[in-house]
Amino acid sequence: MAFGETWLPGYPVWLDVCPNVALWDHPPTKHVFARLRQNGITVPGPEVAALCELAGDLKISIVIGVNERVEAGPGNGTLYNSLLTITSEAKLANHHRKLVPTYTERLLWGNGDGRGLSSVETKNGRVGGLICWEHWMPLARMAMHNSGEHIHIAVWPTVHELHQLCSRHYAFEGRCFVLAVGLMMPARDLPYELQAGANTQNQSGEWLERGGSAIIAPNTRYIVEPVYDREELVIADLNLSEIDQEFLTLDVSGHYARPDVFAFETKVK
């Protein structure tokens, strides 16, 4: 079961539609940021423990985007855009922080590290994930391809057309299934401090975040077409043997890697 980018407690779409949020010492922004910090979660922490218990009880794996707050020690004043993978054994198996916050996001989040650039074994196969524009970082993709994903979780705010293209490309390049996961957020849920003058004209109806969640096969076809502008569970059974079929022609970590020409390594602190 997969949830979108910073699903808990929600994506700060106000960065892109509300005026003056980047002004120095802007009281409304400071109030909203404080609330975002207060509602962030710690890793580990009580929310993670509750999710682990839930995953164990239901015998499912959970991949969820979170706004992470560091409780003490280095980095305790910085938030991180993180992706957590929890297995059906009630274990937090991977904790990945977004390497580079995208554009306006740099106002809120710090740079992550490479410790989470891996897939984890689950009863459904090896599961990995990246966050939003990390999918345009070629070396981050390569690290994940080397980890041998069967199922890749691509989390976004909205999986609009460009993000659909990116998710389908990832499925083809990585020879894996991709769950492209978007968020739903109505305009009425903008922080009340920042609603005045918000630019929502380019949005679709009542939704600021429109979803677009989809499930994509290793040959780029849609198993489930993107779902926009409504809340819906997106569910499918996956035939993992399709991965073996597609490796006949392309394996970027194997016969297409050309280690005699290129050298690749991950530097994880």
Side-chain angles (χ1 to χ4, degrees):
M1 182 171 287
F3 300 83
E5 185 173 5
T6 62
W7 188 90
L8 185 65
Y11 184 80
V13 66
W14 46 269
L15 285 170
D16 299 316
V17 300
C18 297
N20 303 321
V21 293
L23 292 178
W24 183 262
D25 205 26
H26 187 238
T29 305
K30 293 170 74 174
H31 292 159
V32 172
F33 179 75
R35 195 156 66 248
L36 183 65
R37 271 186 53 81
Q38 292 158 8
N39 285 280
I41 73 168
T42 57
V43 183
E47 295 86 359
V48 175
L51 287 168
C52 287
E53 182 179 2
L54 182 67
D57 289 346
L58 298 177
K59 302 303 179 187
I60 61 173
S61 297
I62 297 173
V63 180
I64 185 169
V66 301
N67 186 76
E68 181 189 352
R69 184 184 76 250
V70 177
E71 192 67 24
N76 67 81
T78 298
L79 298 178
Y80 295 94
N81 181 337
S82 298
L83 191 65
L84 309 180
T85 303
I86 299 167
T87 66
S88 57
E89 292 78 29
K91 175 186 175 183
L92 175 61
N94 199 28
H95 171 202
H96 170 57
R97 289 174 172 172
K98 190 173 185 179
L99 294 169
V100 182
T102 304
Y103 195 46
T104 53
E105 294 174 357
R106 297 177 202 179
L107 186 66
L108 302 183
W109 291 313
N111 283 350
D113 53 53
R115 288 176 293 178
L117 290 176
S118 62
S119 60
V120 299
E121 292 284 352
T122 77
K123 67 178 183 179
N124 304 115
R126 285 188 297 273
V127 175
L130 290 174
I131 304 169
C132 199
W133 278 38
E134 287 184 322
H135 291 88
W136 279 294
M137 298 177 70
L139 300 185
R141 295 202 311 270
M142 191 64 200
M144 296 305 300
H145 298 332
N146 281 346
S147 75
E149 295 171 292
H150 298 128
I151 301 170
H152 177 82
I153 312 300
V155 298
W156 310 88
T158 293
V159 198
H160 54 62
E161 182 182 6
L162 187 59
H163 296 164
Q164 295 288 344
L165 289 171
C166 191
S167 299
R168 295 179 72 185
H169 170 267
Y170 191 98
F172 184 86
E173 182 179 78
R175 301 331 230 175
C176 61
F177 291 90
V178 170
L179 277 58
V181 190
L183 303 171
M184 302 297 297
M185 179 181 169
R188 65 176 180 272
D189 283 350
L190 281 173
Y192 65 87
E193 296 97 331
L194 300 172
Q195 286 182 1
N199 178 17
T200 60
Q201 295 180 358
N202 295 325
Q203 310 304 317
S204 173
E206 65 174 310
W207 298 105
L208 289 176
E209 300 296 354
R210 301 181 50 220
S213 296
I215 300 177
I216 304 160
N219 65 358
T220 78
R221 83 181 190 282
Y222 282 115
I223 297 172
V224 179
E225 295 276 345
V227 178
Y228 290 104
D229 299 328
R230 68 179 188 272
E231 294 177 317
E232 182 175 312
L233 284 175
V234 177
I235 302 172
D237 292 322
L238 307 181
N239 179 1
L240 297 187
S241 71
E242 289 191 42
I243 294 171
D244 299 303
Q245 296 175 37
E246 296 306 319
F247 272 135
L248 173 66
T249 52
L250 177 69
D251 176 13
V252 297
S253 67
H255 64 265
Y256 259 78
R258 290 301 304 273
D260 57 318
V261 179
F262 306 107
F264 177 81
E265 64 175 320
T266 55
K267 297 178 180 180
V268 179
K269 295 181 180 179

